């Protein structure tokens, strides 16, 4: 059973649950809320009369459940610290507060915490890129094995210092071309494993410094795609949808990290 919780203030605890093979249920302070879902939206009222709305939304990247109270977007407990404190005086505050009741410090709208959602998605995308680079490198290494062995077999007929026919206007000796053939196979693996390692480091770094980590990861990924397109234009459309989704997630993560900077200091 999936469950999402919101703690709007001390007297308002909202839970949306979806038991297996059953309809979604909404609870307010432990009591079921009666109502109907209309166009993926559930409207109800809080005990103090404030209007509340739970909406199921989806975009090209993910599905989200949103709660609005009095028109203001409320992040759920996955993104809000359990012990909310004013960053200026360390007094206890509530999610709904936009100003500290003790010192008057401006806290911002409740949805300020949602920037972490985009950052987490971007961090996951960085780790996914690490896996993709490793898998692609290993795949290409083994896929090129027969071709490499065939090329080396053909070159074995020539002496090491023999100058062969030019390739793309460049002349090679047999020994030089043999090294080039071997490197083409190993180089794909080595380069992709290096990229994998870089993405793993950036994924780890993004936990403490999300903005620079996501920026660097995005720049590297875009550079790899541009270089691949220049070297082989046919790669432009290969996996185009996945490339677009990954870049969109990273860009959204950059925006989220920028939004979170004031809270993170």
């Amino acid at each position: 059973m999936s469950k999402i919780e919101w703690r709007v203030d001390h007297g308002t605890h909202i839970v949306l649950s979806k038991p297996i093979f059953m309809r979604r249920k909404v609870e307010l302070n432990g009591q079921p809320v009666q109502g109907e879902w209309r166009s993926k939206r559930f409207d109800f009222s809080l005990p103090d009369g404030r209007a509340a709305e739970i909406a199921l939304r989806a975009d090209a990247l993910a599905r989200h459940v949103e709660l609005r109270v009095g028109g203001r977007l409320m992040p759920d407990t996955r993104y809000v610290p359990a012990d909310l404190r004013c960053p200026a005086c360390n007094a206890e505050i509530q999610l709904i507060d936009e100003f500290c009741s003790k010192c008057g410090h401006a806290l911002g709208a409740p949805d300020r915490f949602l920037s972490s959602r985009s950052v987490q998605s971007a961090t996951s995308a960085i780790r996914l890129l690490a896996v993709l680079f490793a898998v692609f490198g290993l795949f290409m290494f083994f896929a090129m094995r027969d071709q490499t062995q065939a090329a080396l077999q053909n070159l074995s007929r020539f002496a090491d210092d023999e100058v062969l026919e030019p390739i793309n206007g460049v002349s090679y000796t047999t020994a030089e071309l043999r090294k080039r053939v071997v490197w083409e196979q190993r180089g794909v693996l080595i380069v992709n494993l290096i990229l994998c390692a870089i993405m793993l480091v950036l994924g780890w770094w993004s936990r403490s410094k999300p903005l620079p980590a996501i920026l660097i990861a995005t720049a590297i990924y875009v550079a790899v795609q541009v270089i691949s397109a220049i070297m082989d234009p046919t790669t432009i459309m290969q996996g185009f949808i996945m490339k677009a989704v990954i870049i969109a997630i990273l860009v959204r993560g950059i925006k989220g990290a920028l939004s979170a900077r004031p809270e993170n200091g």
Side-chain angles (χ1 to χ4, degrees):
M1 179 178 70
S2 60
K3 182 170 69 172
I4 301 176
E5 300 182 52
W6 294 268
R7 295 189 181 277
V8 179
D9 50 41
H10 289 317
T12 310
H13 179 211
I14 301 171
V15 177
L16 171 65
S17 59
K18 177 63 171 69
I20 299 176
F21 305 123
M22 296 180 65
R23 299 178 63 184
R24 295 180 180 87
K25 298 192 302 183
V26 178
E27 294 182 355
L28 174 59
N29 300 329
Q31 299 299 318
V33 178
Q34 302 300 322
E36 294 291 333
W37 287 89
R38 292 186 175 89
S39 300
K40 298 184 178 180
R41 194 178 73 180
F42 188 89
D43 296 312
F44 60 104
S45 297
L46 302 184
D48 57 7
R50 287 177 294 175
E53 169 194 297
I54 297 177
L56 309 178
R57 306 189 186 280
D59 54 30
L61 304 180
R63 295 180 179 179
H64 305 292
V65 178
E66 296 181 351
L67 167 69
R68 292 183 182 271
V69 174
R72 290 189 291 178
L73 183 61
M74 299 289 159
D76 61 65
T77 54
R78 293 173 297 175
Y79 308 108
V80 181
D83 184 23
L84 277 177
R85 297 282 173 176
C86 172
C89 68
N90 202 40
E92 184 180 1
I93 59 174
Q94 301 180 83
L95 175 62
I96 199 72
D97 294 337
E98 293 191 5
F99 297 90
C100 176
S101 59
K102 182 176 181 180
C103 70
H105 179 75
L107 303 170
D111 62 1
R112 65 189 182 275
F113 294 102
L114 287 177
S115 58
S116 64
R117 181 169 65 188
S118 299
V119 173
Q120 290 171 5
S121 297
T123 300
S124 298
I126 293 173
R127 297 194 185 102
L128 173 63
L129 286 176
V131 174
L132 291 177
F133 280 128
V135 171
F136 179 76
L138 289 169
F139 173 79
M140 291 303 297
F141 177 79
F142 289 106
M144 295 173 64
R145 182 170 55 184
D146 292 342
Q147 181 182 352
T148 300
Q149 292 299 322
L152 292 175
Q153 184 66 31
N154 290 333
L155 289 174
S156 65
R157 298 183 290 111
F158 304 97
D160 286 350
D161 57 353
E162 184 175 346
V163 178
L164 304 175
E165 290 290 329
I167 301 175
N168 296 327
V170 181
S171 297
Y172 300 94
T173 65
T174 302
E176 291 172 339
L177 189 56
R178 184 181 295 112
K179 290 180 180 178
R180 183 180 177 89
V181 169
V182 172
W183 166 250
E184 284 185 355
Q185 181 193 16
R186 295 178 181 176
V188 171
L189 176 62
I190 293 171
V191 169
N192 278 278
L193 289 181
I194 291 174
L195 290 171
C196 169
I198 291 173
M199 290 298 171
L200 287 175
V201 171
L202 290 173
W204 170 79
W205 191 33
S206 66
R207 292 184 295 179
S208 57
K209 298 291 183 180
L211 182 58
I214 298 172
L215 280 170
I216 294 173
T218 304
I220 291 174
Y221 183 68
V222 171
V224 168
Q225 300 308 316
V226 171
I227 293 172
S228 297
I230 293 173
M231 296 178 63
D232 183 2
T234 61
T235 63
I236 295 176
M237 298 306 297
Q238 293 177 359
F240 179 79
I241 295 178
M242 176 174 286
K243 293 174 185 177
V245 169
I246 290 174
I247 291 175
I249 293 173
L250 292 173
V251 170
R252 180 179 287 184
I254 292 172
K255 293 179 179 179
L258 285 170
S259 300
R261 290 184 74 183
E263 285 73 43
N264 293 341

